[in-house]
Amino acid sequence: SGKTSVYLKLIDEALATQPQKGAIVMVPEISLTPAAVAIFKGRYGEKVAVFHSRLSMGERLDEFKRVKKGLATIVVGTRSAVFAPLEHISLIVMDEEQEHTYKSESSPRFHARDVARFRAAHHNALLLLASATPSVETMYKAKNGIYSLYTLQHRFGGRPLPEVEIVDMREELKLGNDTSLSVPLRHRMIEARQ
């Protein structure tokens, strides 16, 4: 969709206007971290630190020290990245903010979105909650003016947006379809298989 391009431009702008400040980019799953790290390290090199639970204690400590010393000012990782010891933050990005993996079920219980909101307010930083399918809470706040809402009108590389058809499942039920798949969806699935 081009979200990563937006993140990179925001980080570029933040570093250009406030080079002493840092940025945090969170991804919902460890499996997405290597691809994100490759993109950010490709652009920012050694300024990037990685935070996630699959790092050994020694690796975590090394990354923690690099951030603490100011050697790394861009942190990429899962929900634990929100706790990176950046002294000055200009931007926090939460990719796919609706994902349940940002919520810690073990003690201490927290939601990375709440911690990110607190840290952004504390540092007077921009918090970007990004998603093609935002959480109900985030969309409600955006629709009611609590958050600013920005949408990507065009996909990266000029690719067309997918066609979307909304089907009222109550009408499907009235027509005798008591399954979880609408008739148009089943027809499209059959067409795609052929």
Side-chain angles (χ1 to χ4, degrees), residues 27-151:
V27 294
E29 297 177 32
I30 291 174
S31 62
L32 300 173
T33 307
V37 168
I39 291 167
F40 289 95
K41 278 198 172 182
R43 182 125 168 188
Y44 305 110
E46 290 302 309
K47 289 183 180 179
V48 177
V50 182
F51 280 63
H52 60 72
S53 61
R54 286 206 189 132
L55 296 175
S56 69
M57 285 304 259
E59 290 169 322
R60 287 185 210 187
L61 184 59
D62 289 344
E63 293 295 82
F64 185 90
K65 285 179 182 177
R66 285 185 349 98
V67 172
K68 192 75 175 151
K69 290 177 183 175
L71 300 174
T73 55
I74 300 165
V75 175
V76 178
T78 55
R79 70 175 173 244
S80 62
V82 77
F83 296 109
L86 289 167
E87 301 256 344
H88 306 287
I89 302 171
S90 61
L91 173 67
I92 301 175
V93 175
M94 195 169 189
D95 189 37
E96 300 300 336
E97 66 85 24
Q98 82 287 352
E99 288 292 330
H100 68 90
T101 53
Y102 285 121
K103 192 174 191 178
S104 173
E105 296 296 336
S106 59
S107 188
R109 295 179 193 276
F110 69 94
H111 196 301
R113 184 176 49 227
D114 298 331
V115 177
R117 191 179 311 119
F118 175 83
R119 289 199 77 188
H122 179 76
H123 290 270
N124 197 28
L126 173 65
L127 172 60
L128 177 62
L129 303 175
S131 177
T133 54
S135 66
V136 173
E137 313 90 87
T138 299
M139 196 59 168
Y140 175 83
K141 289 178 179 179
K143 291 286 186 179
N144 286 286
I146 298 166
Y147 293 164
S148 297
L149 177 64
Y150 299 95
T151 56

